[in-house]
Amino acid sequence: QVQLVESGGGLVQPGESLRLSCEGSVSILSFYTLGWYRQVPGKKRELVADITLGTRTNYADSVKGRFTIARDTAKNTVSLQMNNLNPEDTAVYYCYANRGAFREEYWGQGTQVTVSS
């Protein structure tokens, strides 16, 4: 069974940085797309960033230039480096992956990121 386990969330002040990491229970090379989504109460889950086939990256406009997604095959992880955080980045962040001809989807359990002074 495929599992994605996130780590690295927490409470930071505006302008600070956090790094989220997501480890797969199977080789991440088996996934077509890996990514991060976030959700705040009462709102739809939204894409933050994703990486396809290990090279093609895609970012939400609100995080471009501040966040970086990367795949580390040696550690079997996908990470999200978040710099210059602001209160609008506060959310539960979910790791996401899909694979196979039908792009079967997998989600992590979520990790809370809170940006507050």
Side-chain angles (χ1 to χ4, degrees), residues 37-51:
Y37 283 69
R38 66 187 181 188
Q39 188 171 26
V40 296
K43 291 193 175 182
K44 186 179 178 181
R45 190 173 296 186
E46 64 174 7
L47 174 69
V48 176
D50 62 24
I51 182 167

Side-chain angles (χ1 to χ4, degrees), residues 69-104:
I69 189 169
R71 187 183 75 168
D72 188 331
T73 55
K75 295 181 179 179
N76 205 44
T77 60
V78 58
S79 63
L80 184 69
Q81 177 66 41
M82 306 185 293
N83 298 328
N84 193 22
L85 286 160
N86 60 60
E88 289 70 38
D89 296 315
T90 295
V92 177
Y93 283 70
Y94 296 90
C95 181
Y96 165 87
N98 67 43
R99 68 175 184 178
F102 300 101
R103 299 291 184 261
E104 186 174 0

Side-chain angles (χ1 to χ4, degrees), residues 6-21 36-39 46-49 59 62-70 78-94 111-115:
E6 302 107 333
S7 60
L11 171 63
V12 296
Q13 294 188 343
E16 294 186 338
S17 299
L18 268 180
R19 184 182 181 88
L20 304 182
S21 184
W36 292 91
Y37 283 69
R38 66 187 181 188
Q39 188 171 26
E46 64 174 7
L47 174 69
V48 176
Y59 294 92
S62 60
V63 307
K64 283 180 181 176
R66 299 189 298 124
F67 291 12
T68 303
I69 189 169
V78 58
S79 63
L80 184 69
Q81 177 66 41
M82 306 185 293
N83 298 328
N84 193 22
L85 286 160
N86 60 60
E88 289 70 38
D89 296 315
T90 295
V92 177
Y93 283 70
Y94 296 90
T111 186
Q112 177 70 46
V113 172
T114 302
V115 185

